[in-house]
PDB file of all heavy atoms in Angstrom:
ATOM      1  N   LYS A 338      13.928   6.532 -25.458  1.00 97.00           N
ATOM      2  CA  LYS A 338      13.458   5.798 -26.636  1.00 97.00           C
ATOM      3  C   LYS A 338      13.260   6.732 -27.839  1.00 97.00           C
ATOM      4  O   LYS A 338      13.624   6.394 -28.979  1.00 97.00           O
ATOM      5  CB  LYS A 338      12.145   5.099 -26.282  1.00 97.00           C
ATOM      6  CG  LYS A 338      11.615   4.262 -27.404  1.00 97.00           C
ATOM      7  CD  LYS A 338      10.331   3.564 -27.028  1.00 97.00           C
ATOM      8  CE  LYS A 338       9.753   2.912 -28.278  1.00 97.00           C
ATOM      9  NZ  LYS A 338       8.393   2.445 -28.057  1.00 97.00           N
ATOM     10  N   ALA A 339      12.697   7.903 -27.572  1.00 97.00           N
ATOM     11  CA  ALA A 339      12.398   8.839 -28.671  1.00 97.00           C
ATOM     12  C   ALA A 339      13.666   9.221 -29.440  1.00 97.00           C
ATOM     13  O   ALA A 339      13.621   9.431 -30.655  1.00 97.00           O
ATOM     14  CB  ALA A 339      11.732  10.093 -28.115  1.00 97.00           C
ATOM     15  N   ALA A 340      14.784   9.285 -28.734  1.00 97.00           N
ATOM     16  CA  ALA A 340      16.040   9.653 -29.400  1.00 97.00           C
ATOM     17  C   ALA A 340      16.480   8.556 -30.368  1.00 97.00           C
ATOM     18  O   ALA A 340      17.079   8.832 -31.408  1.00 97.00           O
ATOM     19  CB  ALA A 340      17.116   9.924 -28.357  1.00 97.00           C
ATOM     20  N   TYR A 341      16.168   7.315 -30.022  1.00 95.00           N
ATOM     21  CA  TYR A 341      16.507   6.195 -30.924  1.00 95.00           C
ATOM     22  C   TYR A 341      15.598   6.201 -32.136  1.00 95.00           C
ATOM     23  O   TYR A 341      16.042   6.019 -33.266  1.00 95.00           O
ATOM     24  CB  TYR A 341      16.410   4.850 -30.188  1.00 95.00           C
ATOM     25  CG  TYR A 341      17.559   4.658 -29.227  1.00 95.00           C
ATOM     26  CD1 TYR A 341      17.428   5.006 -27.887  1.00 95.00           C
ATOM     27  CD2 TYR A 341      18.792   4.181 -29.675  1.00 95.00           C
ATOM     28  CE1 TYR A 341      18.485   4.869 -27.004  1.00 95.00           C
ATOM     29  CE2 TYR A 341      19.862   4.043 -28.796  1.00 95.00           C
ATOM     30  CZ  TYR A 341      19.701   4.390 -27.467  1.00 95.00           C
ATOM     31  OH  TYR A 341      20.761   4.263 -26.608  1.00 95.00           O
ATOM     32  N   ILE A 342      14.291   6.422 -31.891  1.00 96.00           N
ATOM     33  CA  ILE A 342      13.336   6.415 -33.011  1.00 96.00           C
ATOM     34  C   ILE A 342      13.776   7.414 -34.072  1.00 96.00           C
ATOM     35  O   ILE A 342      13.727   7.141 -35.263  1.00 96.00           O
ATOM     36  CB  ILE A 342      11.907   6.770 -32.518  1.00 96.00           C
ATOM     37  CG1 ILE A 342      11.385   5.717 -31.552  1.00 96.00           C
ATOM     38  CG2 ILE A 342      10.942   6.933 -33.708  1.00 96.00           C
ATOM     39  CD1 ILE A 342      10.012   6.022 -30.984  1.00 96.00           C
ATOM     40  N   TYR A 343      14.195   8.583 -33.618  1.00 96.00           N
ATOM     41  CA  TYR A 343      14.551   9.638 -34.578  1.00 96.00           C
ATOM     42  C   TYR A 343      16.053   9.683 -34.879  1.00 96.00           C
ATOM     43  O   TYR A 343      16.545  10.660 -35.437  1.00 96.00           O
ATOM     44  CB  TYR A 343      14.019  10.995 -34.079  1.00 96.00           C
ATOM     45  CG  TYR A 343      12.517  11.029 -34.170  1.00 96.00           C
ATOM     46  CD1 TYR A 343      11.731  10.603 -33.096  1.00 96.00           C
ATOM     47  CD2 TYR A 343      11.870  11.382 -35.351  1.00 96.00           C
ATOM     48  CE1 TYR A 343      10.348  10.566 -33.183  1.00 96.00           C
ATOM     49  CE2 TYR A 343      10.487  11.349 -35.451  1.00 96.00           C
ATOM     50  CZ  TYR A 343       9.734  10.935 -34.369  1.00 96.00           C
ATOM     51  OH  TYR A 343       8.366  10.892 -34.473  1.00 96.00           O
ATOM     52  N   LYS A 344      16.747   8.612 -34.460  1.00 96.00           N
ATOM     53  CA  LYS A 344      18.177   8.438 -34.786  1.00 96.00           C
ATOM     54  C   LYS A 344      19.016   9.677 -34.448  1.00 96.00           C
ATOM     55  O   LYS A 344      19.771  10.198 -35.273  1.00 96.00           O
ATOM     56  CB  LYS A 344      18.342   8.074 -36.264  1.00 96.00           C
ATOM     57  CG  LYS A 344      17.659   6.769 -36.638  1.00 96.00           C
ATOM     58  CD  LYS A 344      17.947   6.408 -38.090  1.00 96.00           C
ATOM     59  CE  LYS A 344      17.366   5.077 -38.484  1.00 96.00           C
ATOM     60  NZ  LYS A 344      15.935   4.883 -38.269  1.00 96.00           N
ATOM     61  N   LEU A 345      18.840  10.163 -33.230  1.00 96.00           N
ATOM     62  CA  LEU A 345      19.524  11.405 -32.854  1.00 96.00           C
ATOM     63  C   LEU A 345      20.942  11.150 -32.347  1.00 96.00           C
ATOM     64  O   LEU A 345      21.753  12.053 -32.281  1.00 96.00           O
ATOM     65  CB  LEU A 345      18.720  12.137 -31.773  1.00 96.00           C
ATOM     66  CG  LEU A 345      17.294  12.550 -32.162  1.00 96.00           C
ATOM     67  CD1 LEU A 345      16.643  13.320 -31.041  1.00 96.00           C
ATOM     68  CD2 LEU A 345      17.295  13.390 -33.443  1.00 96.00           C
ATOM     69  N   LYS A 346      21.197   9.910 -31.969  1.00 92.00           N
ATOM     70  CA  LYS A 346      22.495   9.628 -31.347  1.00 92.00           C
ATOM     71  C   LYS A 346      23.559   9.325 -32.404  1.00 92.00           C
ATOM     72  O   LYS A 346      23.360   8.476 -33.263  1.00 92.00           O
ATOM     73  CB  LYS A 346      22.343   8.443 -30.393  1.00 92.00           C
ATOM     74  CG  LYS A 346      23.502   8.283 -29.483  1.00 92.00           C
ATOM     75  CD  LYS A 346      23.210   7.293 -28.383  1.00 92.00           C
ATOM     76  CE  LYS A 346      24.491   7.071 -27.607  1.00 92.00           C
ATOM     77  NZ  LYS A 346      24.256   6.553 -26.300  1.00 92.00           N
ATOM     78  N   ASN A 347      24.633  10.065 -32.299  1.00 90.00           N
ATOM     79  CA  ASN A 347      25.771   9.870 -33.173  1.00 90.00           C
ATOM     80  C   ASN A 347      26.688   8.802 -32.601  1.00 90.00           C
ATOM     81  O   ASN A 347      26.746   8.660 -31.392  1.00 90.00           O
ATOM     82  CB  ASN A 347      26.576  11.179 -33.180  1.00 90.00           C
ATOM     83  CG  ASN A 347      26.617  11.755 -34.537  1.00 90.00           C
ATOM     84  OD1 ASN A 347      26.939  11.061 -35.489  1.00 90.00           O
ATOM     85  ND2 ASN A 347      26.291  13.039 -34.623  1.00 90.00           N
ATOM     86  N   LYS A 348      27.431   8.118 -33.450  1.00 87.00           N
ATOM     87  CA  LYS A 348      28.344   7.070 -32.929  1.00 87.00           C
ATOM     88  C   LYS A 348      29.322   7.644 -31.911  1.00 87.00           C
ATOM     89  O   LYS A 348      29.676   7.003 -30.940  1.00 87.00           O
ATOM     90  CB  LYS A 348      29.112   6.443 -34.098  1.00 87.00           C
ATOM     91  CG  LYS A 348      28.334   5.301 -34.731  1.00 87.00           C
ATOM     92  CD  LYS A 348      29.265   4.419 -35.569  1.00 87.00           C
ATOM     93  CE  LYS A 348      28.435   3.486 -36.422  1.00 87.00           C
ATOM     94  NZ  LYS A 348      28.341   3.902 -37.811  1.00 87.00           N
ATOM     95  N   LYS A 349      29.758   8.883 -32.170  1.00 88.00           N
ATOM     96  CA  LYS A 349      30.794   9.473 -31.298  1.00 88.00           C
ATOM     97  C   LYS A 349      30.211  10.067 -30.011  1.00 88.00           C
ATOM     98  O   LYS A 349      30.973  10.508 -29.144  1.00 88.00           O
ATOM     99  CB  LYS A 349      31.521  10.580 -32.067  1.00 88.00           C
ATOM    100  CG  LYS A 349      32.537  10.028 -33.045  1.00 88.00           C
ATOM    101  CD  LYS A 349      33.343  11.188 -33.592  1.00 88.00           C
ATOM    102  CE  LYS A 349      34.146  10.739 -34.797  1.00 88.00           C
ATOM    103  NZ  LYS A 349      34.339  11.817 -35.743  1.00 88.00           N
ATOM    104  N   ASP A 350      28.894  10.107 -29.924  1.00 92.00           N
ATOM    105  CA  ASP A 350      28.289  10.745 -28.747  1.00 92.00           C
ATOM    106  C   ASP A 350      28.475   9.903 -27.495  1.00 92.00           C
ATOM    107  O   ASP A 350      27.863   8.846 -27.350  1.00 92.00           O
ATOM    108  CB  ASP A 350      26.780  10.966 -28.976  1.00 92.00           C
ATOM    109  CG  ASP A 350      26.499  12.156 -29.871  1.00 92.00           C
ATOM    110  OD1 ASP A 350      27.414  12.986 -30.047  1.00 92.00           O
ATOM    111  OD2 ASP A 350      25.382  12.247 -30.396  1.00 92.00           O
ATOM    112  N   TYR A 351      29.335  10.370 -26.610  1.00 96.00           N
ATOM    113  CA  TYR A 351      29.519   9.695 -25.329  1.00 96.00           C
ATOM    114  C   TYR A 351      29.569  10.801 -24.276  1.00 96.00           C
ATOM    115  O   TYR A 351      30.465  11.643 -24.298  1.00 96.00           O
ATOM    116  CB  TYR A 351      30.815   8.875 -25.350  1.00 96.00           C
ATOM    117  CG  TYR A 351      31.218   8.363 -23.990  1.00 96.00           C
ATOM    118  CD1 TYR A 351      30.321   7.596 -23.231  1.00 96.00           C
ATOM    119  CD2 TYR A 351      32.469   8.664 -23.443  1.00 96.00           C
ATOM    120  CE1 TYR A 351      30.674   7.133 -21.965  1.00 96.00           C
ATOM    121  CE2 TYR A 351      32.826   8.207 -22.179  1.00 96.00           C
ATOM    122  CZ  TYR A 351      31.919   7.445 -21.462  1.00 96.00           C
ATOM    123  OH  TYR A 351      32.267   7.008 -20.210  1.00 96.00           O
ATOM    124  N   PHE A 352      28.572  10.809 -23.414  1.00 98.00           N
ATOM    125  CA  PHE A 352      28.444  11.898 -22.452  1.00 98.00           C
ATOM    126  C   PHE A 352      28.432  11.340 -21.030  1.00 98.00           C
ATOM    127  O   PHE A 352      27.359  11.132 -20.444  1.00 98.00           O
ATOM    128  CB  PHE A 352      27.184  12.720 -22.756  1.00 98.00           C
ATOM    129  CG  PHE A 352      27.172  13.280 -24.149  1.00 98.00           C
ATOM    130  CD1 PHE A 352      26.091  13.083 -24.995  1.00 98.00           C
ATOM    131  CD2 PHE A 352      28.260  14.003 -24.632  1.00 98.00           C
ATOM    132  CE1 PHE A 352      26.083  13.590 -26.285  1.00 98.00           C
ATOM    133  CE2 PHE A 352      28.271  14.513 -25.921  1.00 98.00           C
ATOM    134  CZ  PHE A 352      27.187  14.305 -26.745  1.00 98.00           C
TER     135      PHE A 352
END
Side-chain angles (χ1 to χ4, degrees):
K338 183 179 172 191
Y341 287 94
I342 296 178
Y343 290 90
K344 299 184 176 55
L345 300 183
K346 194 169 173 159
N347 242 310
K348 273 198 192 102
K349 282 189 193 149
D350 282 343
Y351 169 55
F352 303 128

